[in-house]
Amino acid sequence: MFCSELVILAVNFFIPIQFWFDENGVYHAGNARNITLLLQILLFVLTSIYTFTIKANTEIATKRLRRTVGFFGIEMAVLIIVQLFYPLLPLYSIGFLISSCLLHSFVVEDEKTEYLKTLEETLRREKEKSDELGTAKRKIYTDPLTGVKKQTGVFRRRAKAG
């Protein structure tokens, strides 16, 4: 879609098929513009339908992501439809601005939260393993009956110090 739009804009320099300005500086939309916007509407609607249909079959963590992407597609399709009738309003840009904010708010923040949970769980497991290792070392170097250090523990400490 991007490449085809680049070709259309290049052709538009020579033959006005996308848009043109008349002698008074008034903007006129061409057929290629309307076709491009209709294809974008179709693309966003199909993306929304796809994300909403697979959202029901996914785990809870990704449902919010898919719902956000689905609403992004619907919102963009509606704003592009209005853009067809009011070509001078910046609705297309506003749609992407709103959608980018939605994606950042819900998707990126959810990913940060999931990463933080994973990191906290890893740190908790590391602390447990460290505590278990300390307990095992104390059992190895301490006599269980008297609580006095075993001879191997004393020699090991001297070897580390020396």
Side-chain angles (χ1 to χ4, degrees):
M1 186 109 183
F2 178 73
C3 292
S4 66
E5 192 63 28
L6 287 177
V7 170
I8 289 171
L9 287 174
V11 170
N12 195 68
F13 280 117
F14 306 105
I15 304 168
I17 58 173
Q18 181 87 0
F19 64 90
W20 67 91
F21 295 94
D22 63 13
E23 302 82 34
N24 298 326
V26 177
Y27 174 84
H28 295 280
N31 289 334
R33 175 190 173 272
N34 295 333
I35 291 170
T36 301
L37 290 177
L38 289 172
L39 287 174
Q40 289 177 8
I41 292 168
L42 180 66
L43 181 72
F44 283 119
V45 168
L46 290 175
T47 301
S48 295
I49 291 170
Y50 177 74
T51 56
F52 282 133
T53 55
I54 63 169
K55 177 183 71 95
N57 301 328
T58 59
E59 58 189 54
I60 294 174
T62 59
K63 280 188 179 184
R64 192 171 179 183
L65 165 69
R66 298 193 192 288
R67 188 178 15 207
T68 304
V69 171
F71 284 129
F72 164 75
I74 291 171
E75 180 239 351
M76 282 305 299
V78 168
L79 288 173
I80 293 172
I81 290 169
V82 176
Q83 184 83 51
L84 279 168
F85 300 106
Y86 300 100
L88 298 179
L89 294 177
L91 298 174
Y92 198 87
S93 299
I94 290 170
F96 271 107
L97 180 68
I98 292 170
S99 299
S100 297
C101 291
L102 281 173
L103 287 172
H104 176 74
S105 296
F106 294 114
V107 177
V108 173
E109 292 303 318
D110 281 354
E111 287 177 358
K112 283 181 185 177
T113 303
E114 287 297 317
Y115 180 73
L116 183 62
K117 285 179 184 176
T118 303
L119 186 60
E120 287 173 348
E121 177 64 22
T122 303
L123 288 173
R124 184 190 61 76
R125 277 188 271 135
E126 185 67 28
K127 172 104 172 79
E128 285 177 2
K129 287 180 181 181
S130 177
D131 291 345
E132 288 174 8
L133 183 61
T135 303
K137 282 182 179 180
R138 278 191 299 279
K139 286 181 180 179
I140 290 171
Y141 298 127
T142 307
D143 183 80
L145 186 59
T146 61
V148 177
K149 287 191 180 189
K150 292 181 181 178
Q151 188 175 8
T152 54
V154 173
F155 288 135
R156 183 165 302 293
R157 286 198 186 255
R158 284 185 190 161
K160 282 185 181 180

